Amino acid sequence: MISNTHIFISLIFFHFFIKTAQSSNNVSATNADSNVLACGSSSAATDANGRNWVPDSKFLASSENSITAAAQFQDPSLPSTIPYMTARIFTSSSTYVFSVSSKSRHWVRLHFYPSSYSNLNTSDAYCSVTANGFTLLRNFSASITSQALTQAYIIKEFSLLPIHSGSLNLTFTPSSSKNGAVAFVNGVEVISMPEIFQPAVMVGFAGESLEAENSSLQTMFRLNVGGQYIPATNDTGLSRTWYDDSPYLYGASFGVTSEADANVTIQYPSNVPKFIAPADVYRTSRTMGPTSKLNLNYNLTWVFQVDGNFTYLLRLHFCEYQLSKANQRVFDIFINNKTAQPAADVMAWVNSKKGVPVYKDFAIYVEKGNGDEEIWVALHPSVSSKPEFYDAILNGLEIFKFNDTSGNLAGPNPVPSLLQQKAVAKQVPRSFAPSRSNKIGVIVGGVVGGVTGFGLVVGLVVCLNHQKKPTSSGRKAASPSWLPLYGSSRTKSSSGSSRITALGGGLCRHFSLAEIKYATKNFNESENNPDGPKMVAEQKANDAFVMHTTLLSIEEEETEDSGNAIFSQIMNPQGR
């Protein structure tokens, strides 16, 4: 009897030990390999989010074909100086070698900052990048990509299949199609990850699915729908970054955003691992709005520019934190005008449990067309289901690109917008020859500037004193809120937060950072300036005049027929 009891207790302990070991393995799998390199740096450093970056030199198979460089200009949009202010430049094919687990997938992230370097013209940087037989990038230009996307820095993220040899070789090769081409990179991450992919339903092919777990993939978009930017340090251990979805919304109907109440707890079911997406993704959402009649007359739609001749995996994240039962909110999901999921009912999927996440994977092939290859995701209330509310909901959206049959993930460089291309061609040369009138202008400008500055200080003091005066209710008067004309703002209500679009959003002329850089010669205050500091005031004025006349001349040349095309390019630059 005693021996049987001992055996029973031993079995229970053994079962608990196995479960604990499996759980530990699942957790450690995400952190088994973590190589985060600041390329070109001579010492370890910590970025603004607290992530540690180490020098890249010891991972290079050979340093003979590379040099290091420091960026000469720090763009204010950079999230951190680490790793973007240093770079590794390759003059010929060079390889990083990483010892990795042979049993797990790995993230590979490449960071590029095409700024000014003392020994590199980034416009000459065209490269290919391969990883153990997979082509990640081909003839890639970080400069062109940055200009087309109007972004100062570029991050390319890939999820690679397990490397059975245990050695991941990441090779950078300058493009052979351009004379004098070099390759460069600012940061490299190689981090192990759990298997997050599964078979995805093929849209347009009834009963067919695609086994994503057998492919390497590139992350194209990762959006926190209805929510805010989520940095890598706030992810679920997979160091992913989640972005706002509003730039990809189509049309004037933005829907309504909301956030779960504080008393709602996100409860992951057994079939949804916590690492699939952070709770912050499931705590916010975008819906169509409270008016059923209006909702029946439009689709809640997102549009994405992608590369043609590839298959894409779309992962849609859902979580109901307002409703309480099935058939309250039922909707159809369309991808590129094809029905991906009819009568989607989130509460029915989770057995009417509030705050329970669920996700659905779909796959679709995008053919190469005339340069406007796109993925459209649209939600519309399911009329045939006769739900209580004619509405739709989405909490998160990820889009991944499958490798093709040759192991290629590389697409072409995006095309800069028409306005950006003309801004480059229409640059006006500047002249700052010193003259007596110029010197007088500097003196007058200094006096006027001093008087203006004094007036601003006085005005600021008056405003601050006014804000400190109590209102009739005894509270301090709140500072006035504002809505940026180029975007939108959020206002809080009792039910959550709603997006309000500024009335003048589409009526004003907006200048991208790239356009301003072109017009101001990258904010250069000393070029063609023999008198040094004395001429800075006039040079800034001339810079502003050059930028103004350059961009206005572009607009004046446009005919009425092409006006809409330019507006479209401003709002939706190709490749974004």
Side-chain angles (χ1 to χ4, degrees):
M1 181 67 180
I2 295 177
S3 60
N4 289 338
T5 302
H6 286 168
I7 292 174
F8 179 73
I9 294 174
S10 298
L11 287 175
I12 293 177
F13 177 80
F14 180 74
H15 178 75
F16 175 79
F17 175 80
I18 292 297
K19 286 293 184 182
T20 303
Q22 288 176 346
S23 177
S24 300
N25 287 337
N26 288 338
V27 173
S28 63
T30 64
N31 301 310
D33 304 318
S34 182
N35 303 287
V36 185
L37 313 184
C39 301
S41 177
S42 59
S43 60
T46 303
D47 66 18
N49 289 321
R51 299 187 72 199
N52 296 319
W53 300 71
V54 300
D56 65 325
S57 54
K58 74 174 185 178
F59 295 90
L60 282 169
S62 172
S63 59
E64 294 180 358
N65 302 323
S66 70
I67 56 176
T68 61
Q72 297 178 332
F73 169 74
Q74 180 180 342
D75 192 283
S77 68
L78 287 179
S80 173
T81 58
I82 310 298
Y84 297 104
M85 294 302 289
T86 60
R88 173 78 60 178
I89 302 171
F90 306 101
T91 55
S92 62
S93 183
S94 299
T95 301
Y96 288 101
V97 180
F98 301 92
S99 178
V100 297
S101 168
S102 61
K103 298 181 180 180
S104 63
R105 279 183 173 270
H106 285 81
W107 293 120
V108 172
R109 298 189 183 100
L110 308 176
H111 299 255
F112 300 93
Y113 176 41
S115 182
S116 299
Y117 297 87
S118 57
N119 42 7
L120 169 66
N121 182 359
T122 53
S123 62
D124 292 331
Y126 289 80
C127 71
S128 296
V129 181
T130 60
N132 289 55
F134 285 96
T135 300
L136 308 184
L137 301 172
R138 180 184 292 123
N139 199 38
F140 170 72
S141 169
S143 180
I144 291 176
T145 304
S146 175
Q147 179 188 346
L149 303 184
T150 62
Q151 296 173 356
Y153 63 99
I154 304 297
I155 302 176
K156 296 288 187 178
E157 180 184 275
F158 307 88
S159 175
L160 302 185
L161 286 168
I163 308 296
H164 297 302
S165 66
S167 178
L168 192 158
N169 299 323
L170 195 62
T171 302
F172 290 78
T173 305
S175 176
S176 59
S177 61
K178 182 176 176 59
N179 293 332
V182 295
F184 83 98
V185 65
N186 298 85
V188 173
E189 298 179 59
V190 176
I191 302 175
S192 57
M193 58 178 290
E195 181 58 76
I196 64 173
F197 300 108
Q198 61 186 16
V201 176
M202 284 292 295
V203 177
F205 297 88
E208 297 294 326
S209 62
L210 191 61
E211 295 181 349
E213 64 271 30
N214 294 331
S215 298
S216 290
L217 302 99
Q218 178 183 353
T219 305
M220 304 298 289
F221 304 93
R222 180 178 289 120
L223 307 180
N224 180 18
V225 177
Q228 301 294 327
Y229 168 85
I230 301 176
T233 49
N234 290 355
D235 193 36
T236 56
L238 301 188
S239 59
R240 298 165 297 188
T241 302
W242 300 75
Y243 297 92
D244 174 22
D245 69 308
S246 57
Y248 306 96
L249 285 165
Y250 176 78
S253 301
F254 275 21
V256 176
T257 63
S258 66
E259 183 175 359
D261 293 335
N263 60 356
V264 175
T265 302
I266 302 302
Q267 306 175 63
Y268 292 83
S270 59
N271 61 338
V272 178
K274 288 186 177 181
F275 55 68
I276 284 295
D280 284 345
V281 170
Y282 295 116
R283 292 192 65 84
T284 59
S285 68
R286 189 179 298 277
T287 59
M288 301 185 74
T291 309
S292 295
K293 187 175 181 179
L294 292 178
N295 295 346
L296 290 172
N297 291 322
Y298 85 97
N299 292 338
L300 186 57
T301 306
W302 296 260
V303 182
F304 306 92
Q305 295 282 339
V306 295
D307 303 322
N309 291 342
F310 284 96
T311 300
Y312 292 87
L313 168 68
L314 285 79
R315 173 165 291 175
L316 280 64
H317 298 266
F318 303 96
C319 182
E320 286 280 14
Y321 47 76
Q322 295 173 327
L323 306 183
S324 58
K325 59 184 179 181
N327 207 47
Q328 285 187 293
R329 178 160 37 205
V330 185
F331 53 96
D332 300 325
I333 303 173
F334 302 95
I335 300 177
N336 281 7
N337 255 352
K338 299 178 181 178
T339 302
Q341 176 75 57
D345 188 339
V346 178
M347 291 304 285
W349 292 339
V350 297
N351 298 320
S352 298
K353 294 179 180 179
K354 184 181 294 187
V356 175
V358 63
Y359 66 94
K360 296 292 180 179
D361 289 350
F362 306 97
I364 191 166
Y365 180 76
V366 177
E367 295 183 357
K368 187 172 180 61
N370 58 0
D372 280 335
E373 293 82 7
E374 297 173 332
I375 290 179
W376 290 59
V377 178
L379 310 180
H380 187 78
S382 176
V383 178
S384 61
S385 300
K386 298 180 179 180
E388 183 176 348
F389 307 108
Y390 288 108
D391 196 4
I393 186 173
L394 186 62
N395 302 73
L397 175 59
E398 297 176 89
I399 300 181
F400 303 91
K401 181 204 295 183
F402 284 92
N403 66 263
D404 64 16
T405 54
S406 63
N408 174 56
L409 281 163
N413 291 311
V415 180
S417 71
L418 177 64
L419 194 64
Q420 291 168 329
Q421 295 179 48
K422 288 195 173 185
V424 176
K426 289 285 185 178
Q427 288 186 79
V428 180
R430 299 177 300 177
S431 176
F432 296 106
S435 66
R436 183 173 178 274
S437 62
N438 285 342
K439 294 178 181 179
I440 294 174
V442 171
I443 295 172
V444 173
V447 173
V448 173
V451 173
T452 303
F454 178 76
L456 289 175
V457 171
V458 173
L460 180 59
V461 171
V462 172
C463 289
L464 289 175
N465 287 336
H466 175 71
Q467 281 187 337
K468 290 179 181 179
K469 293 180 180 179
T471 63
S472 58
S473 61
R475 295 174 298 175
K476 292 182 179 180
S479 58
S481 60
W482 60 278
L483 293 178
L485 289 179
Y486 55 84
S488 54
S489 179
R490 298 179 185 276
T491 80
K492 288 288 182 180
S493 65
S494 59
S495 60
S497 61
S498 300
R499 178 166 292 277
I500 300 178
T501 304
L503 178 62
L507 304 178
C508 298
R509 173 66 174 87
H510 316 309
F511 301 116
S512 70
L513 179 61
E515 292 165 346
I516 294 173
K517 282 184 178 180
Y518 284 129
T520 61
K521 298 281 187 178
N522 205 21
F523 308 108
N524 191 343
E525 295 183 349
S526 60
E527 183 178 320
N528 299 324
N529 189 359
D531 281 358
K534 292 192 299 181
M535 305 299 296
V536 168
E538 187 207 356
Q539 183 165 342
K540 285 184 176 180
N542 282 334
D543 279 343
F545 176 75
V546 168
M547 178 180 70
H548 180 73
T549 55
T550 299
L551 293 170
L552 283 183
S553 65
I554 296 172
E555 292 180 334
E556 290 172 358
E557 289 178 359
E558 298 298 333
T559 64
E560 184 177 353
D561 291 338
S562 61
N564 290 334
I566 292 182
F567 177 79
S568 176
Q569 290 286 349
I570 295 172
M571 300 304 295
N572 297 294
Q574 189 170 355
R576 186 144 186 173

